[in-house]
């Protein structure tokens, strides 16, 4: 337990919006035929719902879900419902998750991402009657494995310097 404890600066609303746009643009990449491509929007949404639940909540998740529905040409509301539930449960767990080290947080993030995919699969099953294979859930495991990297990248602008000098105000 010798890891440093950072006092973080407040998250910039511009950076939050930029990270959500970046995640959306990563999801726009034509990688749909590949197995295990993570859902970057879900990963960034769960991150901000845990770290900034008052700024990124259920409304933002619903809007991002509608954008993904339009992009995927899916049933309108499928991703919106899944992301809304993801954000709700992430906000519910956010205080508990932050007590654990980043690597241990994966065990809280993975069920949230699996639940999101289960909602998407249920809606697709009700509409089309087709059941996807087991590789459908591989996306959640890859997204959960990317959690430490996403945490490190998205918290980087908020970290203060460990060794403070006189020329920096913070």
């Amino acid at each position: 337990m010798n890891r440093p404890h950072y006092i973080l600066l407040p998250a910039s609303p511009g950076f939050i919006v930029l990270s959500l746009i970046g995640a959306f643009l990563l999801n726009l990449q034509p990688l749909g035929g590949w197995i295990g491509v993570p859902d970057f929007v879900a990963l960034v949404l769960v991150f901000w719902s845990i770290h900034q639940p008052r700024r990124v909540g259920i409304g933002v998740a619903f809007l991002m879900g509608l954008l993904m529905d339009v992009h995927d040409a899916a049933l309108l509301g499928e991703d919106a419902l899944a992301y809304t539930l993801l954000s709700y449960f992430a906000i519910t767990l956010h205080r508990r998750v932050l007590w654990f080290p980043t690597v241990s947080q994966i065990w809280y993030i993975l069920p949230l991402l699996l639940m999101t995919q289960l909602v998407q699969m249920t809606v697709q099953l009700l509409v089309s009657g087709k059941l996807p294979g087991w590789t459908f859930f591989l996306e959640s495991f890859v997204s959960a494995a990317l959690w430490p990297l996403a945490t490190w990248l998205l918290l980087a602008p908020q970290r203060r310097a460990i060794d403070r000098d006189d020329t920096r105000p913070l």
Side-chain angles (χ1 to χ4, degrees):
M1 293 249 139
N2 287 336
R3 54 190 180 107
H5 295 283
Y6 294 103
I7 297 176
L8 299 174
L9 296 170
S12 166
F15 181 71
I16 293 172
V17 169
L18 185 68
S19 66
L20 288 169
I21 290 171
F24 181 69
L25 291 176
L26 282 173
N27 272 10
L28 291 181
Q29 299 303 313
L31 303 174
W34 294 10
I35 296 173
V37 176
D39 187 357
F40 294 106
V41 172
L43 187 63
V44 172
L45 274 174
V46 76
F47 175 83
W48 288 121
S49 293
I50 287 173
H51 287 276
Q52 295 291 325
R54 292 184 180 195
R55 290 192 177 169
V56 177
I58 296 171
V60 173
F62 183 77
L63 289 175
M64 293 302 291
L66 285 178
L67 286 174
M68 286 306 300
D69 284 332
V70 169
H71 168 261
D72 293 338
L75 183 67
L76 192 62
E78 174 186 335
D79 288 327
L81 173 66
Y83 289 166
T84 302
L85 291 173
L86 172 72
S87 179
Y88 171 77
F89 288 116
I91 291 170
T92 303
L93 293 173
H94 84 277
R95 290 182 189 257
R96 180 178 295 166
V97 171
L98 292 176
W99 275 94
F100 293 99
T102 306
V103 175
S104 299
Q105 291 175 3
I106 292 173
W107 297 109
Y108 284 93
I109 302 307
L110 181 61
L112 292 173
L113 295 171
L114 283 171
M115 182 262 322
T116 302
Q117 280 203 289
L118 186 64
V119 168
Q120 291 170 339
M121 183 193 73
T122 304
V123 170
Q124 290 173 5
L125 181 65
L126 290 173
V127 171
S128 68
K130 296 179 184 175
L131 188 64
W134 64 272
T135 57
F136 179 75
F137 292 105
L138 191 60
E139 174 183 311
S140 294
F141 289 97
V142 173
S143 295
L146 289 175
W147 178 255
L149 178 64
T151 300
W152 182 77
L153 284 173
L154 293 173
L155 285 181
Q158 298 175 38
R159 286 194 187 93
R160 297 176 189 227
I162 294 175
D163 55 338
R164 185 171 182 213
D165 62 21
D166 295 331
T167 60
R168 275 188 283 205
L170 295 175

